[in-house]
Amino acid sequence: MLKPVPPSVCDQHGQPLFGRYAGAPDQIAYDRLDAEYRRSWWWERTHRKHWHYVALASDELFCAMAIVDVGWTNTAFAYVFDRVAKRLIASYSRDGIPGLTARLSDHPAAGAFADFKFGRESMRYEQDEYGFKLRLIFPEWELEAGGESLHVVPGMTAIARPQGGTVHTTYKSSAMPCEAGVRVGERFWKLKMIASTDHSLGFLARETAWQWASAHSLSLGWNLQSGYLGEQENVLWLDGNLIALGAVRFQFQAEQPEQAWLITSEDGLIDLVFQPEGVRAEDKNLIIAASRYQQPIGVFNGRVRAAKDKPWREVKNLVGVTENHFSRW
């Protein structure tokens, strides 16, 4: 079991409280960070990376959005994937205007908001102690969702020193049941869905890469990552318990991400096969920056367990995503 999260990510002396915890801190703030972890004003300005990601899953649709502030600019994306037709039916991607189009709070759960506006296009996520609301408005499609966050299993906070960076904090929620309305053109869905969030803020290397997997039901879920944070954010949610995992290995074909992915953990608690149903991909080269992003949407099968001496739990067709991501930012 993980220890309860401290209210702040640094102690009274400015030392980061490195570790994995259950729950969300009140705030992710580095204003009192010890000199050991500080760099020049310009370095911190250009290496400060802050994002809020939300996913919504059901048998019919998988939807996701993210708002990202990379210090010197900002960007956002959103999409709707039709799991029946096995294709993207709506997609949005926009690079914003520095200091104008994106706003993100430093509260990862209660008090969180992430906002992106560009002309008639708008995205907003907000959360308080009782629940959350998400609203996406674009000319050709819209999404509105909301749910309670009371009685939800605690999420996970990881505070770590990333490869090539100084300090980074990430909060991953557990499953949050919600209701959503989605309109794409003339089509409309009203669905019960499972939401999950990722709120991350820290000082990362100029080049950052990772593989990631996330899936959630009310009794089972996980967050798995290999790359810039090592094993620090690897956790399993199982029957209301939050279990730390060891390093995770991703086996997949980068040139064919629609093929099966094999995912195992070194501690022997995760043994999964991910079968994509489709892929959202983006490859941006802005000369001074670049991003190569593949996020397959699909289902996980396999088995997980709480400890080596515990019985296996079967995983059958649990919807979620994997990701292969490289950024020069």
Side-chain angles (χ1 to χ4, degrees):
M1 299 294 290
L2 300 183
K3 297 182 295 184
V5 68
S8 173
V9 300
C10 297
D11 67 17
Q12 60 182 342
H13 305 294
Q15 290 290 317
L17 296 169
F18 293 133
R20 270 177 287 192
Y21 304 95
D26 297 335
Q27 185 181 29
I28 302 175
Y30 301 115
D31 51 322
R32 297 183 179 180
L33 196 61
D34 184 82
E36 177 185 353
Y37 302 95
R38 301 309 300 255
R39 299 294 184 269
S40 69
W41 177 89
W42 178 249
W43 188 96
E44 291 188 352
R45 172 77 177 181
T46 57
H47 287 73
R48 184 181 186 273
K49 314 304 174 187
H50 191 184
W51 65 85
H52 198 107
Y53 168 92
V54 183
L56 304 171
S58 74
D59 291 339
E60 297 87 355
L61 300 178
F62 187 93
C63 311
M65 61 79 74
I67 298 171
V68 185
D69 182 351
V70 300
W72 52 274
T73 190
N74 54 74
T75 188
F77 74 78
Y79 66 84
V80 178
F81 181 81
D82 185 332
R83 297 192 59 223
V84 178
K86 292 182 169 47
R87 64 184 181 90
L88 282 172
I89 57 173
S91 184
Y92 172 80
S93 179
R94 174 74 71 183
D95 293 323
I97 301 170
L100 294 178
T101 45
R103 296 183 304 152
L104 294 95
S105 77
D106 52 15
H107 301 284
F113 74 82
D115 186 87
F116 186 89
K117 291 184 179 180
F118 196 102
R120 296 170 55 201
E121 307 156 356
S122 67
M123 304 168 59
R124 184 173 178 87
Y125 177 89
E126 54 187 318
Q127 184 174 343
D128 59 23
E129 59 184 312
Y130 302 107
F132 75 92
K133 295 179 181 179
L134 172 66
R135 185 168 177 79
L136 311 178
I137 302 176
F138 309 114
E140 296 180 354
W141 65 280
E142 297 180 2
L143 182 154
E144 188 166 1
E148 294 185 0
S149 56
L150 294 173
H151 313 301
V152 171
V153 174
M156 180 278 305
T157 295
I159 306 168
R161 187 158 197 169
Q163 298 171 2
T166 55
V167 61
H168 185 75
T169 302
T170 183
Y171 170 72
K172 316 291 188 181
S173 79
S174 60
M176 298 188 294
C178 69
E179 293 188 353
V182 183
R183 180 191 65 81
V184 179
E186 298 300 318
R187 301 177 67 188
F188 181 79
W189 294 260
K190 188 172 181 61
L191 302 168
K192 293 186 181 298
M193 306 186 81
I194 296 294
S196 58
T197 67
D198 171 350
H199 188 116
S200 298
L201 172 58
F203 301 101
L204 302 182
R206 167 77 167 137
E207 294 189 350
T208 308
W210 65 80
Q211 289 83 47
W212 177 62
S214 175
H216 293 275
S217 71
L218 295 181
S219 62
L220 172 66
W222 52 76
N223 185 84
L224 309 173
Q225 191 261 162
S226 176
Y228 75 112
L229 279 191
E231 65 185 58
Q232 292 303 308
E233 63 175 70
N234 295 338
V235 291
L236 170 68
W237 286 270
L238 187 60
D239 296 330
N241 296 312
L242 185 52
I243 301 156
L245 300 171
V248 172
R249 183 183 184 191
F250 289 78
Q251 295 175 267
F252 67 103
Q253 299 181 52
E255 301 305 316
Q256 294 181 299
E258 71 280 2
Q259 299 299 313
W261 294 48
L262 305 181
I263 305 171
T264 55
S265 62
E266 290 185 357
D267 55 22
L269 305 187
I270 293 282
D271 184 7
L272 298 168
V273 177
F274 175 73
Q275 184 58 58
E277 298 173 337
V279 181
R280 182 187 184 273
E282 209 167 47
D283 191 345
K284 293 183 179 181
N285 190 341
L286 304 177
I287 302 177
I288 62 172
S291 175
R292 294 195 299 272
Y293 166 97
Q294 300 166 327
Q295 188 173 89
I297 304 99
V299 293
F300 292 87
N301 288 280
R303 55 186 188 169
V304 300
R305 56 184 174 179
K308 283 191 173 182
D309 60 349
K310 299 295 184 181
W312 287 104
R313 170 72 67 84
E314 182 182 12
V315 177
K316 188 174 182 180
N317 293 328
L318 181 60
V319 62
V321 294
T322 55
E323 186 173 282
N324 185 31
H325 194 124
F326 166 81
S327 286
R328 184 172 68 248
W329 52 7

